[in-house]
Amino acid sequence: METIDVILDVDTGIDDAMAVLFAVAREEFNILAVSCVAGNASLERVGRNTREILDLAGARDIPVVLGADRPLAQDAAPAGHVHGLNGVADLELADYGDVGLGEVDPRPCNEMLREVILNNPRPVTIIELAPMTNLAHLFRDYPEVLGNVEKVWVMGGAATVGNATPVAEFNTWHDPEAADICLKAAPSLLYPLEVFYSPRVTDEDIATLRSNSSPLANLAGDLLAGIAKPYEGEPRVTTGAYRSCIGDAGLVCLMVNPELATIRRHPVRVSLHDPLTRGMTVVDQRWVDGLEVQALPMQWTEPIVEVALEIDGDAIVEIFMNTLLR
Ligand code: BDR
């Protein structure tokens, strides 16, 4: 089986926790490091949650490093109303197994990531599940790493409707300057809200995970039940029998089978200066790679970003469930 060398950048976070559990369980991913950033919860809390999730997953040898405790140009704004005060639905992770055994890497995040990327014999893929503050610092301070970065798969942005604001998605809204720097610096694939909410689960799926003999499946079930509460009334999630969605984990599932999404290349810019739209990702869907370039008003030619705007959500959930239940 072909494997890829990856770094995960996370703000764990209910759905980051599910993404990490999934990535560790899949042989396709050789996880070189996990970096933490303030976002869904404070940096300290994110570091602890991430470390504990890796402990539970039996992956305490994967280095974890702490990065930025605040965005580049504004204050941190943790999302306790979505993820619970501790970031993981107020669950006690010690209830699922032994935690607290892994140490956090003592190096500054920037230097640690630089060493990992430059010393790796193969190009490194970065999985960005959080505000892009850590990557912005890295690309700005050590642009030489870009020579050994294959691509950044980004959960972030929205082409139409946001969640943090009417038009901005949480990760790009939390640190718009960082998103701007990263999309301009590195080859990126955007997994925006249009697809983020599609891999959805039913009460039955949650019950199946909760009643499985694996504590990690039980944890995933409890995390999905935890995030179902804030999703009540979110029409992109709760239609028909659907109650919850796997969020960030959907991006990592897609990496296992990218054919499950329709991916096109579009120019993408981040709104920085207008308070009404700050953090919005403006995806120019008038321009699609492969078509002859026309002279359009407000036309940019860079950065051109791969964007997943359609996905087979049920097939993605099947990959997630089959992995955690096996
Ligand atoms: C993003 O924000 C957080 O709630 C999730 O972890 C995800 O990364 C969705 O807007």
Side-chain angles (χ1 to χ4, degrees):
M1 174 190 304
E2 216 179 302
T3 61
I4 56 170
D5 296 342
V6 299
I7 291 171
L8 284 137
D9 189 59
V10 297
D11 59 338
T12 319
I14 292 178
D15 54 338
D16 306 69
M18 290 189 284
V20 171
L21 289 177
F22 176 83
V24 169
R26 297 292 307 203
E27 289 171 3
E28 290 90 343
F29 301 111
N30 174 33
I31 305 177
L32 304 172
V34 182
S35 50
C36 300
V37 68
N40 290 327
S42 69
L43 179 65
E44 188 199 356
R45 196 68 231 188
V46 168
R48 177 169 161 186
N49 292 343
T50 305
R51 197 56 280 171
E52 291 188 354
I53 291 288
L54 287 169
D55 285 353
L56 290 175
R60 56 186 59 114
D61 51 325
I62 295 176
V64 173
V65 68
L66 299 185
D69 64 359
R70 49 165 293 158
L72 296 184
Q74 59 194 30
D75 290 335
H81 56 294
V82 177
H83 294 267
L85 289 180
N86 74 351
V88 281
D90 295 323
L91 298 170
E92 189 53 68
L93 294 180
D95 291 346
Y96 301 86
D98 290 337
V99 296
L101 303 172
E103 297 288 323
V104 167
D105 192 290
R107 286 172 288 179
C109 181
N110 246 1
E111 284 166 33
M112 190 264 206
L113 294 182
R114 177 181 176 274
E115 278 173 39
V116 168
I117 292 171
L118 290 183
N119 291 338
N120 202 57
R122 299 196 293 175
V124 175
T125 296
I126 300 177
I127 307 177
E128 175 58 271
L129 305 177
M132 290 179 241
T133 322
N134 284 346
L135 295 190
H137 282 295
L138 179 68
F139 296 157
R140 217 166 49 173
D141 297 349
Y142 299 120
E144 65 270 26
V145 298
L146 288 160
N148 205 29
V149 170
E150 176 81 35
K151 192 190 286 190
V152 186
W153 291 67
V154 181
M155 190 292 115
T160 51
V161 182
N163 56 358
T165 79
V167 292
E169 179 278 332
F170 177 81
N171 289 336
T172 51
W173 167 82
H174 199 265
D175 198 340
E177 281 73 19
D180 181 58
I181 290 169
C182 292
L183 293 180
K184 286 175 178 163
S188 305
L189 184 145
L190 212 58
Y191 183 88
L193 289 185
E194 282 71 18
V195 288
F196 175 86
Y197 290 120
S198 299
R200 298 177 290 172
V201 297
T202 61
D203 285 337
E204 206 184 324
D205 295 327
I206 293 174
T208 302
L209 288 162
R210 282 175 142 173
S211 61
N212 191 260
S213 57
S214 153
L216 297 184
N218 306 156
L219 172 57
D222 291 345
L223 289 166
L224 283 164
I227 206 160
K229 290 185 197 115
Y231 281 148
E232 278 170 19
E234 168 53 80
R236 291 171 285 189
V237 177
T238 55
T239 53
Y242 292 118
R243 289 283 171 277
S244 190
C245 88
I246 64 173
D248 288 340
L251 167 62
V252 192
C253 295
L254 178 63
M255 293 176 73
V256 171
N257 184 0
E259 293 189 354
L260 292 174
T262 305
I263 298 167
R264 297 200 175 92
R265 284 159 48 85
H266 296 284
V268 178
R269 284 272 169 104
V270 183
S271 171
L272 299 178
H273 306 298
D274 169 20
L276 193 63
T277 59
R278 185 166 157 76
M280 177 186 182
T281 45
V282 181
V283 179
D284 190 348
Q285 296 182 62
R286 302 168 303 173
W287 190 96
V288 183
D289 201 13
L291 295 183
E292 201 176 316
V293 180
Q294 306 159 22
L296 296 168
M298 296 226 14
Q299 168 92 57
W300 330 288
T301 50
E302 57 181 28
I304 306 289
V305 177
E306 290 181 78
V307 188
L309 283 175
E310 288 163 42
I311 201 174
D312 184 342
D314 289 341
I316 291 284
V317 165
E318 204 178 316
I319 295 175
F320 180 77
M321 296 280 292
N322 288 343
T323 300
L324 283 174
L325 292 170
R326 72 190 174 183

